[in-house]
Amino acid sequence: MTTPAPDQTKDVLHPVRAGLLRAAHADAEARLARAEQEAAALLARARAEARAILDDARRQGEADGSDAARDLLVRARRETRSRTLAARRAAYEGLHREAAERVRALRGTDGYASLRQWLEQRARILLGPAAEVSEHADGGVVARVPGRRVDLSLTTLADRALDRMRGEVRSLWEP
């Protein structure tokens, strides 16, 4: 039995990969839209709360003097910033969890065997034909040769894809 050339394998897997990429992009866009809505709602609540805190601070500042008002205003801004960052972090972590769940679900699809075979061939291209390749618990493969290791697990690949999109994701929450 001859092993197909990597280029032939890529050609065969191209429709599967393209379909997976389209689905992943569509899902990522939907998730990002939902995360943006959630972040906007959290920001709106934080801003409303900040306005209430600021209103309180102004009233107290008039009674207690400008120094006390300044301290409350600084605390309100810090609290608002802290909540804003926490909301952003929670949305981003949720996106990471959802992406990991989605790629793990690929293991149950018809195209997974082809994808796993392609990942194994990719690992051997990266580390050589003597690489020891094993299935990762989350799907995908991990390959090793003495002194080197390649992680092509599905969750790691999803994390790398999200990390590459970090700037685009971050822009969803910035004014």
Side-chain angles (χ1 to χ4, degrees):
M1 174 186 229
T2 59
T3 302
D7 290 337
Q8 290 174 331
T9 303
K10 280 186 178 179
D11 291 343
V12 170
L13 292 176
H14 183 71
V16 171
R17 192 168 108 194
L20 288 172
L21 284 173
R22 275 193 305 279
H25 282 290
D27 186 57
E29 287 175 17
R31 298 280 171 206
L32 290 174
R34 248 195 331 268
E36 181 179 63
Q37 290 171 345
E38 290 172 8
L42 286 169
L43 288 172
R45 286 195 299 268
R47 286 184 178 128
E49 189 173 327
R51 281 191 292 276
I53 291 171
L54 289 172
D55 289 344
D56 259 354
R58 284 188 190 99
R59 281 190 292 279
Q60 288 181 2
E62 289 172 6
D64 298 337
S66 64
D67 289 343
R70 222 177 359 260
D71 290 344
L72 287 173
L73 184 60
V74 166
R75 280 193 299 249
R77 286 181 178 150
R78 285 181 183 154
E79 178 67 20
T80 299
R81 178 71 176 152
S82 175
R83 289 177 186 221
T84 298
L85 292 174
R88 287 177 182 176
R89 182 179 51 247
Y92 190 74
E93 288 170 356
L95 180 62
H96 260 276
R97 279 190 306 277
E98 184 64 29
E101 289 173 18
R102 293 288 180 134
V103 297
R104 280 192 297 268
L106 289 174
R107 294 178 75 191
T109 65
D110 292 338
Y112 178 70
S114 297
L115 175 62
R116 190 201 178 282
Q117 183 180 15
W118 183 84
L119 291 171
E120 184 172 339
Q121 288 175 347
R122 182 71 182 143
R124 291 190 192 286
I125 289 169
L126 293 171
L127 295 180
E132 177 186 322
V133 180
S134 59
E135 178 88 17
H136 190 277
D138 289 336
V141 298
V142 176
R144 291 175 183 81
V145 293
R148 293 180 62 203
R149 179 178 182 268
V150 171
D151 184 349
L152 296 176
S153 64
L154 297 179
T155 51
T156 297
L157 294 172
D159 285 345
R160 287 179 191 156
L162 284 176
D163 285 345
R164 282 192 304 272
M165 294 174 55
R166 187 177 298 257
E168 293 174 44
V169 172
R170 186 181 305 125
S171 71
L172 295 174
W173 297 293
E174 293 178 358

